[in-house]
Structures are given as structure tokens and as C-alpha cells.
Amino acid sequence: MSTDKLIEKSEPISLCMQADLIPNSGICAELDGQQIALFYLPRESPRLYALGNWDPIGKANILSRGMVGDLDGRLVVASPMYKQHFDLLTGECLEDTEICVPVFPVSLVGDHVMLRL
Amino acid sequence: MLKVVVVGNGMVGHHYVEQLVASKVEAQITVIGGETRPAYDRVHLSEFFAGRSPEDLALTTRDHYRELGVEAHFGDMVASIDRDGKTLTTDSGQQFSYDKLVLATGSYPFVPPVKGNDLEPCVVYRTIDDLGIIQAQAKGGKVGVVVGGGLLGLECANAVKNLGLETHVVEFAPGLMGVQLDSGGSAMLRRKIEALGVTVHTSKATQVIEQDAEGEARLRMQFADGGSLATDMIVFSAGIRPYDQLAKDSGLTVGERGGIEIDYHCKTSDSDIFAIGECALFGGRIYGLVAPGYRMAEAAVSQLTDEVVAFQGADMSTKLKLLGVDVGSIGDAHGKEAGSVAYTFSDERIDVYKRLIVSADGKKLLGAVLVGDCSDYDTLLQYFLNGIALPADPQTLILPYNAGAAPALGAGALPATAIICSCHNVSKGDIVNAMDAGFCSLGEVKAETAASSGCGGCAALLKNIVDDELAARGLEVNKAMCEHFNFTRQEMFHVVKVESIKSFDELINKHGSGRGCDICKPTAGSILASLWNDYVLEEKHVGLQDTNDTFLANMQKNGTYSVVPRIAGGEITPDKLITIGQVAKKYNLYTKITGGQRIDLFGARVQHLPAIWEELIAAGFETGHAYGKALRTVKSCVGSTWCRYGVQDSVAMALYIENRYKGLRSPHKLKSAVSGCTRECAEAQSKDFGVIATENGWNLFVCGNGGMKPRHADLFATDLDDETLIKYIDRFLMFYVRTADRLQRTSVWMGTLEGGLDYLREVVIEDSLGIAAELEEQMDSIVGSYQCEWKTTVEDPERLKRFRQFVNSKAEDREIIFVEERGQPRPATEAERIQILAESA
Ligand code: SRM
Ligand SMILES: Cc1cc2nc3c(=O)[nH]c(=O)nc-3n(C[C@H](O)[C@H](O)[C@H](O)COP(=O)(O)OP(=O)(O)OC[C@H]3O[C@@H](n4cnc5c(N)ncnc54)[C@H](O)[C@@H]3O)c2cc1C
Ligand code: SF4
Ligand code: FES
């Protein structure tokens, strides 16, 4: 999806700067009381992924501290609590497809990380 | 088209619908459910109190049924059946006609006919709506009573306890779980449950329930023995009764004590009407578990196809975790069969009880009871289900490991009929057939047979069988660590070393595929650290570390971390103790002396870690690597300096060893200890490498283990001087680091070395491989490049950025909540957390 279209439609908010991101890893941001896990994978397309930070299985705000990688071709983050994998694009839990965490549209505009809840 | 109407949309009714949709039968399906919501997972009902929402528990949705073309009505009970006209009418007056009717009406909780059982906070435990009521009633109450000490009653007691009420279980019979357990097992279960703070009353008959006149609580229960109990809520969980009134009213045959009678085909006395699940009576028995219900559903569906399967009863063995206590019951737990022989093992120190019931000839397992330790359940169940001949000394099956117990049943010993996955009813034969058809990898077998896609309890056994079958076919067992590398850890180590690879990217580009995962990344990270000892948070390594290694602390259950400073050899000055106390107070940390002779500080928020460490480092502390696959502790005893019997300075040696190997990254954690004489107060023989003083020097022991499978260390060399001792340890550790598999402790690694201890001695002492010098050199270089990772971290503003809770605000994570216990903070339980958040909102 092209970034300018996104802005037109929903006016995403600037969450943080590109320099705050950690390549191949996650950080956490907050917007309106929602905790967001942001992952920056410079070699992938898209480069940015945003999921809810709450791990519904581990019951803690920790997904941003999980390890990223791929399984069967799907980009995933492994929860640092009990190691279940969540799809970075859809939020789906690979081990239990009934469980899903929220995903948010996110993009880099200039130096800004823009996100829409 | 064939009109099929399913009455009741519980777990079994829903399974029937799914099976029918998946079959080739062309049918127009109508579902009528008495509850207001579509089928949900009743088995995991209690998780509602742990925060699982009704949506999480749902097995299906209205939309899903719509997509399947199933017509569904909820919140309306079927009131009557007109069998001649083949129609039925619901409470709300709707009428439906059917060609085939399926009764899946389940059961309801039995409420004993005690006077007062209808007073306000008397409730039952069966549906999501019940849970809502229980939750509401628990608010403001202090005491909760569960009537019934069976399987469901105890599960319910757990829920009541988690709601924060003082919990009592009142049971009519003399013991808990009388159906599944013998008296010994039942007594052990009681001990364990009482230890958890639940009060158990057995042989108690309730006579009357009344408003509490003394005003102590809402209600008071009067017992037949004259005693009484004040309580704010009573949950009845005293058994279930089938919903069979509808069947009775329409003239179907119903058992004397309830239940709709069915035959092998799940047909009732009217051959166009089936009954399945907990409302059905088969062979004089109601099956109160979900798996038999599923088998009935499948048998009933098969009646509409040309491939008819019969329901032939089902095994009622169960394995449960009740209130955190492991309980297992297999077959004839009470030893009812004539001539049967029982073996009992009981250890009151660790509260474990195990009992085997064996046939008179000693060949067959008839039943088993396990309380406190269910690790033998899978093996015993296979013996039982498949009638496998028992070993000559059956008791070895339940004795603790170190008594020379029989090994777990090998995959090869199982017959083709052995059920491997009971959730999906997959036998060993099904797995072998799938492999014969060309689905050979574990993943393919799973996808093809559905094995291991339910509760997951069979995963280990499934893998054993696949590996065993592969080996039997002369195919190579896939030892690849994950989908990204076709290597074992050992092979990866060699590649990294030989090609001098310095980063994960380089490694995966040259030798792997994809982007890596949480298995290969930390393995590579550990190997890179063992070989080149770079700072672990360097940018190129950052993504390779597990959260514990990334944040240099261990994650706790609520997302906070523990802080473990190194206290080498367990020796600590008063000033350092004071610092630890001050830091803990300032950051509100829970402190505890660990089993490794040091002090753990728990509950640190991620954003406080750097400040905590700054203060600890200023007082002279270093990281204890409690988070790393690395050297943990070197325990010491006080030794010859103080002890009357000590023959060497064990403290000094422990300090030297701990400081030498601290920070060494290895396939798994490493522990050591040094004792000052043979009394062995430091328990060196339970360590990966242990040292015991002698009159002439030191004895070195290797490959011991505490933990899950304790192993006594082997005596490796005797009467060594200081220098030789260190030389041998250098070589031993480096050889382990090089050759062990990922997450393999030294004790397990020893088991994989062909030639065992003698071989290890040849390599380390006699240098049979000619690599001793290289091993020592490598160790020297690691020792020489040691840095305290926390020191490096707090000195680098770039690194500190990682430790922000939020990049865009200074707020705290408000969902991390502590409560006080024994004068210290502890994480709030799930129920407390939900309640505190709700109150603050
Ligand atoms: C804190 C402590 C318990 C305590 O309160 O005393 C502890 C706590 C943990 N142990 Fe332990 N173990 C602790 C001493 C032990 C001991 C006793 C000892 O070292 O003398 C053992 C048995 C000895 C042994 O390892 O051979 C022990 C055997 C285990 C095992 C089983 C290892 C095995 O080979 O079977 C695990 C699981 C694992 O490593 O995979 C484990 C894992 C853990 C973990 C890391 C579990 C986890 O992932 O959260 C715990 C986290 C520590 C934390 O958050 O800081 N812990 N653990 C002890 C810390 C010692 C220290 O100062 O570093
Ligand atoms: C707390 C708890 C824990 C459990 N744990 C386990 C476990 O660990 N392992 C295990 O195997 N089993 C367990 N069980 C038992 C398991 O849940 C049942 O065996 C299973 O749900 C039975 O399924 P069913 O479809 O036959 O009945 P149900 O799930 O009871 O469904 C029957 C449905 O039919 C409806 N109904 C009744 N009459 C009518 C009517 N006239 N018209 C329309 N609808 C009607 C009912 O309202 C109900 O919704 C547990 C049960 C509970 C309550
Ligand atoms: S091991 Fe020996 S030296 Fe150490 S405390 Fe015991 S008796 Fe004393
Ligand atoms: S036994 Fe539950 S998934 Fe196999």
C-alpha cells in the first residue's frame, strides 16, 4: 500500500522517529492507552510492522521484546514468555489459530513512523 | 435433501455438525441450541477466570455456521418431539421437521436435595453464564464453598480460590476424586490440596442451608455431624445428570438412572433418532468426557454414509492438573479385578503417590493411579491401552529414576493399533500409513493425520515414532535444528569456526535459507559469543538474543525482570549486602536467596534496569549471567579457613574458578562447586564440573546435574595440583562448548559421547585428538576478553535506548501490578490484576 494514500484516508499519527527503531528487533510505543510493538526489518518489504504489545497467552505486555524471524515463509515474532509465534502481517498465532493479536497500519514517512489505530 | 436436525449445540453437537459438513453426505442441517451462544470449549471453561473471554472459548460463530450453510437457532430449547409426524417444537413455538434427529443435549449439574439449596448465592458450574454469576457473587464475599470433591468440584475450587475467596471443599464420601483414585492416592491428593490453602471436609453430609443468623457470612451450612460452616457462596458440583427429559417425554428408552439408551450405532430406540455425548447411555454408562462424545458423533455421522464405524465404548483414563497438582488415573484404579496385584510407591517428602494394578500373572497393566507426578502417564497408558507385556519387575515403571527404573516405552515397541493422539484418534498405524504414502517429515505427518494439533500432549511421542520409522526405513533422521539450517549445533559450530564467520547474516547467506527464527538465531548468537566473545548487544548480534540475553535479565511472569548480581563463591561483604538491600528498597524489588548461593532481586521494570545496575556496579558488583547459557554459579563451602575439617581453601578456589569462566557462552548453562573436604557441603558432585579437596590437592568430577534428571558426577581425575586442575577444566569446558548440541547439559552430552568417560579422559588428559593446546588457547582468549555486559551497557547511551518502556512516553506499563505479601511485593494474580484494573478505571 502506498504511504500517501494512507495519510489521505486516515491521517495517521507520528509515533516516533526512525532513529528510535532497532533494526531486526522490536520496540514499544504507546498511543491512546494502546501499547504497540513496532518491528523494523530493514531488508523486508514492508520494513515496518505494528502489533498489539499484549501477549494473550503469556498475559503480559511483552511482544515487542520477542525475537523476529520467519516460519514457513511467514514473518513472525516469537513471544519471549512461552515462545508462541505471531504473524507480523495478520497478528495470527501460528500455534493456536483461534488467537490473534491486533495489527495496525504503519509506515515510514520521511523520518517519522506513522501509525493509525 | 436429507433434513438433519441437531438438538443441543455443546461440544459434541458441534463436533457432529463439523463431521457431517466434512463428509460426503448431502444434508440440510439445522441446529437448535438451548444456550444463547454457539458451542464453546467447556473443557477449558475455568480459563475464563484467568482472563479468557467467551470469544476465546468459542468453538464456532453464527457467521461460521452461516458460511457452512447450517441453519442455527440459539437461546431456544426444544420442548417436544412428535416422532410420528417427525417434527419438533421449541419453547418459543417454532416448529421444525426432520428426517434424522440427533440429540446432543448434554447434561446439567446435580444439586443435592438439601433444604435451602435455592437460597441466593447457591450456584452451579457448567456454562459461561454460570461463571458470570459466580464472578458477581464472589465480589464482596470472603468465603466460598464447593460441594463435591470430584474432578469438577476440585477444578471449581481452583476457580473460587483464584477469585480470592477462602475456599472449602465439602465432600460426602470419605475421599476426594473417589471415582478415579484409590484411597492412598486420594489421601495424597488431599494433603497437596490442603497445602495450597484449600480446606477439605470429607464424610460431610449437608442437612440444611440457611441465612447466617450470626451475621458472619451470607449463609450457613449445617452438617449431619452437628458442625456448621459460614460461607458467602456455595457452588454445587456434585455430579452431572443427563438432559433426557425430552427423550423420556417422547417415549424413547431411557436408563433407570437416566441417560438416553443407545446402541453401537448411537441409535436410540427410534432408529431415526440418535443420541450422542453426555446425554447418551451406552452399555449402562454415561461418558462424562469429551473424547468419547466425539467418537459417538463420528459413529453417528458414519450411519449416513457407506462406511459405517461403530462406537465401542471408550477409555476413561484421565490426566489432569488440578489446582496445580498433577493427577492421573488409568483403567481399573481400584484393583477390582479378581487376583490383581498392586504395587504402590509413596514419598511423603515430595508428596508423590503412584500405584500400579497388574493382572494376576503379572503380564498386563490393569490400572494405575498417579498423584503429584504424572511423568509416567504416557508410558503407562500405552501399556494399558495396547496390552503390551510388562517388564519382569513392573514396579520399576513407577520407581524414581535413580533407582534404576525401566526406560520409557520405545516407539518401536508399540503395536499399530496404539492410539498416539487421543484428541484426533490417530493410531501408530495411521502414522505409518501416512509415511508409506510419502508424507515422511514430522510436519507432513502432522498435516496429513492431524496428530498433535489438539492439546499437543502427544508431540514428543509422535516425534519418537516418526524418527523411529524413518530409521527403520533406512532414511536419515532429520537432525536439522530448524527450517533455516540443515545443521546440528555441532555442525554449525564447525562451520562458523572454520570459515571465521562473524555474523548471523553472513552465516545464513552462506549456509542457510530464509531469515532465521527463535531457534537458530540464539544458537548462532551463542556460538559467535563462544568463539569471538563480542559484546552481546552489538548491533549485529542484537536480533539474535532471546529477551533474557537482550535485556541482560530474566523475564518474569508479568513481563518484569529479575536482577542477579554475581556473588562469586557465595562470598559477600556486609557493605555489598547493604547495597543490595538499598537497591531493592528503592526500586521495590522482591529479594530472595537463591539455590545458587546468591541473591535474586525480582520485579524490576525494564526501564529501571540500567539505573539499578549503575548503582550495583558502583558498589563493585558485576552481572551474574543468570539470563545466559553461560557459567552460573560456583558454590563453595567455607573450607579450611574456618571449618574444622577442611583440608584446602575451597572458597579461594571457587572464587578463582568463577572469575575465570564467568561470561563463557555454552550450549546450556554451566554450574560448578568446590568443597573443602569429602563431607561435600558444597554438593560438587551434582554439578557440571565439581571440585573436592583432598589432602594432596583436588579431585575433579564432571557431568553431574541437579534439575529435572539428576545425575551424579563422575570422578574424572584425582589429587590434582591447582594448575593441572584448571588446565583440565579449560579443556573439558571448551570441548563441551565445541561438540555439544543446543540446550544439552554436560550430563546429557556425556551420554552421547561414544566411549563415555574413558573417551573424555583420553581427549582431555591424554590429548588423543591433539587438540588440547587449541582448546586451552581458545579458553585463554575468552578469559582475556571478558567484559561485564552490564558495565558496557550502562556506559553506552545508544544501548540504553533499548531499556525504555515506551519510545514515545515516560509512562509506566500500568498493567504490571504488584500486591504485598509477607512484607514484599509479588506479581498480582490474573484475578487480582483484573480486579485492581477495574477498580482503578
Ligand atoms: C532463582 C533460582 C531459584 C531460587 O530461588 O533459588 C532459579 C530460578 C530459575 N531457574 Fe533454576 N534457579 C536456581 C537454582 C537452580 C538449581 C540449584 C543450583 O544451581 O544449585 C538447579 C538444579 C541444579 C542444576 O541446574 O543442575 C536449577 C535447575 C533449573 C533447571 C533444570 C536444569 C536441568 O538440567 O534439568 C531449569 C530449566 C532449564 O535451565 O532449562 C532452571 C531454570 C530456571 C529459570 C531460569 C526459569 C525461567 O526461565 O524463568 C528461573 C529463573 C531465574 C530468575 O528469574 O532469576 N533451573 N536451578 C536459583 C538461581 C540460582 C542462581 O543464583 O543463579
Ligand atoms: C468445568 C468443566 C470442566 C471439564 N473438564 C473436562 C476435561 O478436562 N476433559 C474432558 O474430557 N471433559 C471435561 N468436561 C466435560 C465436557 O465438557 C463434556 O463432556 C462435554 O462438554 C459434553 O458435551 P455435550 O455436547 O455432550 O454436552 P454439553 O457441552 O453440555 O452441551 C449440551 C448443550 O445442549 C443444550 N440443551 C440441552 N437440552 C436442550 C434442549 N432441549 N434443546 C436445545 N438445547 C438443549 C445445553 O444447553 C447445552 O448447551 C468438563 C466439564 C466442565 C463443566
Ligand atoms: S566440606 Fe569440609 S571444609 Fe567444607 S564445610 Fe564441610 S566439612 Fe567443612
Ligand atoms: S493427544 Fe492432544 S493433540 Fe494429540
Side-chain angles (χ1 to χ4, degrees):
Chain A
M1 95 187 84
S2 103
T3 45
D4 11 21
K5 256 202 212 127
L6 227 165
I7 293 176
E8 269 170 33
K9 262 210 286 210
S10 56
E11 293 186 34
I13 293 172
S14 167
L15 254 197
C16 62
M17 307 301 290
Q18 180 167 15
D20 290 318
L21 301 168
I22 300 174
N24 301 310
S25 188
I27 56 167
C28 179
E30 184 184 44
L31 187 58
D32 289 345
Q34 169 72 49
Q35 292 198 19
I36 297 147
L38 278 175
F39 298 96
Y40 178 44
L41 309 180
R43 281 186 307 271
E44 307 296 334
S45 170
R47 285 175 291 173
L48 270 181
Y49 301 83
L51 303 182
N53 195 33
W54 180 258
D55 172 355
I57 300 167
K59 307 254 186 256
N61 284 306
I62 47 168
L63 288 185
S64 60
R65 299 181 221 147
M67 212 180 269
V68 287
D70 66 344
L71 283 183
D72 288 335
R74 294 161 79 175
L75 284 174
V76 293
V77 56
S79 163
M81 194 67 83
Y82 299 124
K83 314 286 176 211
Q84 290 87 358
H85 300 87
F86 295 87
D87 189 312
L88 289 183
L89 282 171
T90 63
E92 193 186 349
C93 172
L94 270 58
E95 284 77 12
D96 183 348
T97 49
E98 311 237 314
I99 294 179
C100 207
V101 299
V103 287
F104 307 101
V106 63
S107 59
L108 260 180
V109 180
D111 284 349
H112 288 265
V113 174
M114 306 296 285
L115 180 131
R116 180 163 55 105
L117 279 187
Chain B
M1 220 192 305
L2 188 73
K3 275 192 265 178
V4 178
V5 177
V6 185
V7 183
N9 192 232
M11 299 185 76
V12 175
H14 172 62
H15 190 72
Y16 179 89
V17 172
E18 276 194 321
Q19 296 297 313
L20 185 55
V21 169
S23 76
K24 294 199 193 80
V25 181
E26 297 259 329
Q28 181 194 331
I29 310 172
T30 306
V31 168
I32 304 165
E35 288 183 67
T36 50
R37 43 173 72 79
Y40 53 86
D41 185 352
R42 206 179 300 286
V43 169
H44 292 104
L45 197 61
S46 300
E47 289 175 19
F48 177 83
F49 290 121
R52 266 184 91 171
S53 65
E55 293 74 53
D56 292 338
L57 289 171
L59 294 174
T60 182
T61 59
R62 291 162 199 262
D63 285 344
H64 183 60
Y65 272 164
R66 213 166 290 136
E67 278 160 29
L68 295 177
V70 172
E71 180 188 338
H73 303 267
F74 298 105
D76 198 5
M77 296 281 252
V78 173
S80 62
I81 304 171
D82 169 6
R83 283 166 50 201
D84 299 329
K86 287 197 158 186
T87 56
L88 39 85
T89 311
T90 68
D91 280 349
S92 73
Q94 293 194 76
Q95 286 214 344
F96 298 89
S97 64
Y98 66 83
D99 298 319
K100 299 282 172 193
L101 181 64
V102 180
L103 300 176
T105 47
S107 57
Y108 59 92
F110 168 67
V111 177
V114 172
K115 189 161 165 271
N117 65 12
D118 52 349
L119 287 173
E120 170 65 21
C122 285
V123 291
V124 294
Y125 193 67
R126 177 81 195 175
T127 66
I128 290 185
D129 290 343
D130 292 337
L131 301 188
I133 297 172
I134 292 177
Q135 206 168 27
Q137 292 292 356
K139 286 225 176 77
K142 282 204 280 303
V143 183
V145 169
V146 175
V147 175
L151 212 141
L152 289 181
L154 294 179
E155 186 166 329
C156 179
N158 192 27
V160 173
K161 184 166 166 276
N162 284 340
L163 285 169
L165 300 190
E166 176 193 318
T167 307
H168 296 257
V169 172
V170 172
E171 167 60 52
F172 182 74
L176 298 174
M177 279 184 75
V179 180
Q180 293 88 356
L181 301 182
D182 69 317
S183 57
S186 176
M188 184 66 82
L189 178 64
R190 179 186 186 133
R191 275 169 65 112
K192 294 193 79 110
I193 284 180
E194 286 181 334
L196 294 166
V198 172
T199 314
V200 178
H201 312 261
T202 47
S203 302
K204 281 266 176 211
T206 311
Q207 274 188 328
V208 181
I209 299 168
E210 55 202 14
Q211 308 283 0
D212 185 24
E214 290 160 43
E216 207 181 305
R218 293 183 199 142
L219 298 175
R220 182 167 290 275
M221 305 169 74
Q222 301 288 359
F223 300 119
D225 62 7
S228 77
L229 182 62
T231 177
D232 296 305
M233 174 167 71
I234 300 175
V235 189
F236 288 105
S237 190
I240 53 169
R241 293 291 180 268
Y243 265 125
D244 56 7
Q245 195 61 40
L246 181 64
K248 222 185 263 175
D249 292 346
S250 55
L252 295 176
T253 310
V254 170
E256 223 168 272
R257 286 158 62 214
I260 310 167
E261 273 189 16
I262 57 168
D263 64 8
Y264 287 103
H265 302 130
C266 297
K267 282 187 175 149
T268 64
S269 51
D270 176 333
S271 66
D272 285 325
I273 304 183
F274 297 87
I276 55 178
E278 275 187 358
C279 63
L281 184 72
F282 176 81
R285 170 166 207 185
I286 302 260
Y287 289 86
L289 293 175
V290 71
Y294 282 179
R295 301 294 92 78
M296 289 182 201
E298 287 149 20
V301 167
S302 80
Q303 289 297 311
L304 309 178
T305 70
D306 345 315
E307 273 178 67
V308 173
V309 289
F311 176 74
Q312 305 193 307
D315 176 49
M316 293 289 278
S317 300
T318 30
K319 180 164 75 167
L320 304 154
K321 218 175 171 64
L322 286 171
L323 292 146
V325 180
D326 286 319
V327 180
S329 160
I330 294 174
D332 172 16
H334 296 277
K336 288 193 196 116
E337 191 166 309
S340 61
V341 184
Y343 296 86
T344 309
F345 168 81
S346 166
D347 184 342
E348 297 199 342
R349 209 172 25 103
I350 49 169
D351 282 351
V352 167
Y353 177 90
K354 303 179 183 184
R355 181 178 170 90
L356 289 185
I357 291 103
V358 172
S359 61
D361 61 3
K363 295 233 169 73
K364 295 254 180 305
L365 184 68
L366 302 177
V369 174
L370 303 169
V371 177
D373 173 10
C374 268
S375 51
D376 302 322
Y377 181 86
D378 290 343
T379 303
L380 295 176
L381 186 63
Q382 293 301 338
Y383 273 107
F384 171 70
L385 290 178
N386 301 303
I388 298 170
L390 288 168
D393 300 313
Q395 70 273 22
T396 54
L397 292 171
I398 50 169
L399 289 177
Y401 281 112
N402 48 12
L409 205 52
L414 295 175
T417 50
I419 294 297
I420 305 307
C421 172
S422 35
C423 288
H424 293 283
N425 209 21
V426 182
S427 66
K428 178 176 165 187
D430 297 334
I431 294 166
V432 173
N433 289 343
M435 293 177 73
D436 285 341
F439 303 98
C440 281
S441 74
L442 186 59
E444 286 168 341
V445 170
K446 276 190 194 168
E448 191 55 23
T449 62
S452 195
S453 60
C455 68
C458 60
L461 188 57
L462 177 66
K463 181 168 187 312
N464 277 345
I465 289 179
V466 171
D467 285 353
D468 188 69
E469 282 296 313
L470 283 174
R473 283 148 210 254
L475 291 170
E476 205 176 324
V477 177
N478 187 1
K479 295 222 179 74
M481 68 174 79
C482 67
E483 65 179 63
H484 306 100
F485 286 96
N486 217 348
F487 288 154
T488 59
R489 177 187 181 275
Q490 220 167 316
E491 288 162 345
M492 185 183 273
F493 188 98
H494 284 300
V495 167
V496 172
K497 181 166 188 311
V498 172
E499 300 183 17
S500 267
I501 290 175
K502 296 283 164 59
S503 74
F504 182 76
D505 283 350
E506 193 184 337
L507 179 65
I508 198 160
N509 286 342
K510 279 194 182 159
H511 297 285
S513 63
R515 293 115 166 153
C517 67
D518 52 311
I519 294 189
C520 58
K521 281 180 164 184
T523 308
S526 155
I527 291 174
L528 290 168
S530 298
L531 281 169
W532 324 121
N533 219 20
D534 280 347
Y535 170 53
V536 294
L537 292 191
E538 228 172 86
E539 185 164 318
K540 64 182 179 205
H541 300 326
V542 150
L544 302 186
Q545 312 294 344
D546 204 354
T547 187
N548 286 359
D549 290 85
T550 308
F551 293 93
L552 304 167
N554 287 350
M555 178 174 278
Q556 305 298 314
K557 63 196 295 182
N558 61 353
T560 62
Y561 290 88
S562 70
V563 172
V564 190
R566 189 165 290 291
I567 300 179
E571 185 184 79
I572 185 162
T573 62
D575 280 335
K576 281 189 162 177
L577 278 174
I578 289 168
T579 304
I580 288 191
Q582 282 166 341
V583 169
K585 254 188 152 163
K586 179 160 166 193
Y587 295 96
N588 191 34
L589 306 175
Y590 166 82
T591 54
K592 178 180 182 302
I593 310 284
T594 71
Q597 290 191 339
R598 46 189 185 176
I599 301 172
D600 208 337
L601 296 85
F602 295 87
R605 290 171 184 265
V606 70
Q607 69 270 30
H608 293 157
L609 286 172
I612 291 172
W613 273 105
E614 230 164 287
E615 292 182 32
L616 290 172
I617 289 166
F621 284 106
E622 286 183 334
T623 179
H625 295 101
Y627 44 82
K629 301 291 172 244
L631 181 81
R632 295 285 169 85
T633 60
V634 180
K635 261 171 93 166
S636 76
C637 78
V638 62
S640 58
T641 320
W642 290 90
C643 178
R644 289 175 295 161
Y645 301 108
V647 291
Q648 304 282 350
D649 186 351
S650 51
V651 175
M653 181 53 83
L655 285 169
Y656 182 82
I657 292 179
E658 184 153 349
N659 285 318
R660 181 168 178 81
Y661 302 116
K662 66 188 174 193
L664 173 69
R665 290 304 201 268
S666 45
H668 206 316
K669 60 191 172 191
L670 283 167
K671 298 179 177 184
S672 178
V674 184
S675 282
C677 81
T678 54
R679 286 166 192 76
E680 246 282 73
C681 300
E683 301 172 305
Q685 292 167 93
S686 68
K687 302 297 178 192
D688 295 279
F689 60 106
V691 179
I692 301 177
T694 67
E695 298 280 350
N696 309 315
W698 308 97
N699 284 351
L700 174 61
F701 291 78
V702 296
C703 301
N705 207 161
M708 289 172 267
K709 263 198 183 169
R711 179 179 192 276
H712 215 273
D714 294 310
L715 179 60
F716 187 71
T718 52
D719 290 332
L720 303 174
D721 58 30
D722 291 8
E723 205 183 319
T724 316
L725 174 71
I726 298 302
K727 191 164 77 180
Y728 285 177
I729 300 176
D730 276 4
R731 293 176 183 177
F732 165 75
L733 288 178
M734 224 52 223
F735 188 56
Y736 163 65
V737 166
R738 230 185 226 209
T739 58
D741 209 347
R742 63 179 278 279
L743 297 184
Q744 196 171 46
R745 288 286 292 266
T746 53
S747 60
V748 181
W749 169 68
M750 167 68 103
T752 65
L753 288 181
E754 223 165 289
L757 185 63
D758 290 335
Y759 172 68
L760 198 56
R761 282 207 189 100
E762 281 163 28
V763 175
V764 170
I765 302 180
E766 290 155 32
D767 192 13
S768 61
L769 297 180
I771 54 168
E774 193 186 322
L775 296 175
E776 280 173 48
E777 214 172 285
Q778 208 178 334
M779 185 61 86
D780 271 336
S781 106
I782 300 273
V783 172
S785 57
Y786 170 79
Q787 48 184 324
C788 168
E789 293 138 17
W790 263 112
K791 187 152 185 293
T792 315
T793 303
V794 296
E795 283 165 359
D796 182 348
E798 254 318 287
R799 305 287 161 235
L800 289 179
K801 276 170 48 181
R802 272 219 91 112
F803 293 86
R804 291 181 287 186
Q805 169 66 42
F806 301 115
V807 278
N808 60 343
S809 96
K810 292 247 175 312
E812 294 203 325
D813 180 345
R814 55 186 283 276
E815 277 156 320
I816 295 180
I817 291 172
F818 296 100
V819 296
E820 202 182 284
E821 190 169 273
R822 296 187 295 275
Q824 295 212 68
R826 68 154 168 84
T829 63
E830 188 64 11
E832 285 167 345
R833 200 179 60 78
I834 291 168
Q835 193 179 350
I836 293 171
L837 279 175
E839 278 165 11
S840 72

